[in-house]
Amino acid sequence: VMLPKYRYTLNGSHEVKGRQGVCSEGDYYWVSGSTTLAKYDKDWNLLKLNEDPFKGYEIEVNHIADIDVYNNELYIGAEYFMDGVGKNIQVAVYDGDTLELKRTFPFEPESGQLECSGIAVNPDNGTVWMCSWVGEESGRYLYSYDLKSGEYKGKVHMQMPPQWLQGIAYYNGSFYMTADDGTADDKEPDHLYRTTIEDGATDCIVTLERTFDDVTLQGEIEGLTFDHAKNQLLLLYNRGARIVLGMPKGFYDGYDHEISEVFVYDMTER
């Protein structure tokens, strides 16, 4: 249980428009920026870009986190985020072709979730899960909603929770989470974690799955997804910008802008 489930071999990387999340289904990839949504084909050709994705919300939001896709609908954790503080969290669903908002789920404020850094669909039991970048109690849980009705189902307490969760994805019975737990100034790598949540469970054990010491430059890890057809992990990573309280504040030496890349890893079972 406590050992990594897969071996990950770096296959390549692709620069993308978007610094937050990535998801995959069929013949397409989607990438989220803080205020953008982009659709790519499997050769990473940009097909569509929405630079004004916040039309249709009834409350103010300014930030999109890591994303997921199910049946050509994008599941998005949207919120108003500023200097490490999130509010007005929304579980939003977008059309995978038009990249326009279709509907939102009612968020449950009594859950204790204070921010949304990632969202994942579990099609096996019809649920949607969110994670929180904000630490303390909010960051120690994963939060579940019903995929069809949007009803809040509860939260699961992570044992040995990672710090600064940035993304979450479901793959072959387990949830995988990225954590921005390395200090970029000290060239410390970030990590991938894994957990399995049993039906009706109130807690789950978290396992270290991989250390990302092979990216171009240590910066800020973000969202992730899996390409089922190719048995690949896709990981979004940002480099060049200094991040303070979750927001870019200037650049490292040699950079005048931030670069967002999707790193592709081939996976084999151990």
Side-chain angles (χ1 to χ4, degrees), residues 23-35:
C23 59
S24 171
E25 185 178 65
D27 295 327
Y28 303 103
Y29 301 126
W30 291 262
V31 173
S32 59
S34 300
T35 60

Side-chain angles (χ1 to χ4, degrees), residues 4 15 53-54 90 119 150 170 186 191 196 210 254 259 267:
E15 189 170 347
F54 299 127
Q90 299 281 287
I119 194 165
Y170 180 80
D186 296 330
H191 299 90
T196 300
R210 193 182 194 276
I259 296 174
M267 300 168 56

Side-chain angles (χ1 to χ4, degrees), residues 105-119:
F105 287 6
F107 173 71
E108 177 50 70
E110 296 302 317
S111 67
Q113 183 179 357
L114 301 179
E115 194 272 343
C116 180
S117 57
I119 194 165

Side-chain angles (χ1 to χ4, degrees), residues 71-85:
N71 287 343
N72 200 45
E73 290 187 324
L74 302 180
Y75 285 78
I76 289 172
E79 64 187 353
Y80 186 88
F81 184 86
M82 186 64 63
D83 293 330
V85 179

Side-chain angles (χ1 to χ4, degrees), residues 27-251:
D27 295 327
Y28 303 103
Y29 301 126
W30 291 262
V31 173
S32 59
S34 300
T35 60
T36 61
L37 289 172
K39 183 176 183 178
Y40 292 83
D41 65 17
K42 283 300 180 75
D43 293 319
W44 294 99
N45 297 306
L46 181 63
L47 302 178
K48 191 172 183 62
L49 179 66
N50 183 354
E51 297 183 286
D52 187 19
F54 299 127
K55 293 180 181 178
Y57 285 87
E58 296 182 359
I59 57 177
E60 185 180 10
V61 293
N62 68 353
H63 181 262
I64 292 173
D66 185 25
I67 59 178
D68 204 355
V69 58
Y70 179 66
N71 287 343
N72 200 45
E73 290 187 324
L74 302 180
Y75 285 78
I76 289 172
E79 64 187 353
Y80 186 88
F81 184 86
M82 186 64 63
D83 293 330
V85 179
K87 63 179 183 179
N88 296 347
I89 299 172
Q90 299 281 287
V91 184
V93 182
Y94 284 68
D95 186 276
D97 294 325
T98 66
L99 308 184
E100 299 290 338
L101 178 67
K102 294 179 68 174
R103 61 188 184 276
T104 61
F105 287 6
F107 173 71
E108 177 50 70
E110 296 302 317
S111 67
Q113 183 179 357
L114 301 179
E115 194 272 343
C116 180
S117 57
I119 194 165
V121 174
N122 177 355
D124 292 341
N125 65 5
T127 52
V128 178
W129 294 78
M130 293 195 294
C131 61
S132 173
W133 176 82
V134 175
E136 301 302 328
E137 284 299 305
S138 177
R140 294 178 181 140
Y141 290 85
L142 299 177
Y143 305 84
S144 175
Y145 290 78
D146 186 85
L147 179 62
K148 292 184 178 180
S149 68
E151 178 185 1
Y152 176 65
K153 296 178 67 68
K155 61 185 180 181
V156 173
H157 185 196
M158 290 181 286
Q159 304 295 335
M160 298 177 291
Q163 182 184 33
W164 309 121
L165 288 179
Q166 292 282 58
I168 183 171
Y170 180 80
Y171 184 71
N172 286 353
S174 296
F175 288 95
Y176 293 78
M177 298 165 288
T178 50
D180 186 27
D181 49 3
T183 301
D185 287 353
D186 296 330
K187 298 182 174 60
E188 296 174 357
D190 295 328
H191 299 90
L192 175 70
Y193 295 87
R194 185 188 83 248
T195 190
T196 300
I197 300 175
E198 303 295 338
D199 289 343
T202 60
D203 66 347
C204 60
I205 296 175
V206 177
T207 299
L208 174 63
E209 181 73 8
R210 193 182 194 276
T211 300
F212 292 107
D213 54 3
D214 53 358
V215 296
T216 308
L217 178 75
Q218 292 303 331
E220 185 183 36
I221 201 171
E222 290 287 352
L224 74 159
T225 194
F226 295 89
D227 187 324
H228 290 252
K230 296 182 178 181
N231 294 321
Q232 290 178 330
L233 165 70
L234 280 67
L235 174 74
L236 186 62
Y237 224 101
N238 299 318
R239 59 184 167 98
R242 293 184 182 274
I243 307 300
V244 180
L245 295 177
M247 303 188 72
K249 304 285 187 180
F251 302 101

